[in-house]
Amino acid sequence: MKQSIFKIIAKLNTLLLPSLTKKRLDLAKASKFQLALIGWRYFVTTNALG
């Protein structure tokens, strides 16, 4: 149940949130918002897979 909810959230993330890897974002120069966005995507992806 929990995993399927995270899979739906992961699909929404890909549709709504910007892809920072396509922009070749340097993590050393990333803003706090961009780092939070990366952390959120990581959290959702790990929960969707596990």
Side-chain angles (χ1 to χ4, degrees), residues 13-32:
N13 280 349
T14 57
L15 294 174
L16 300 175
L17 298 178
S19 175
L20 300 176
T21 55
K22 289 181 182 176
K23 295 180 182 178
R24 301 213 179 235
L25 176 70
D26 184 14
L27 289 178
K29 297 178 183 177
S31 69
K32 298 275 185 187

Side-chain angles (χ1 to χ4, degrees), residues 4-19:
S4 62
I5 292 172
F6 277 105
K7 284 185 180 186
I8 293 169
I9 294 172
K11 295 268 187 203
L12 289 173
N13 280 349
T14 57
L15 294 174
L16 300 175
L17 298 178
S19 175

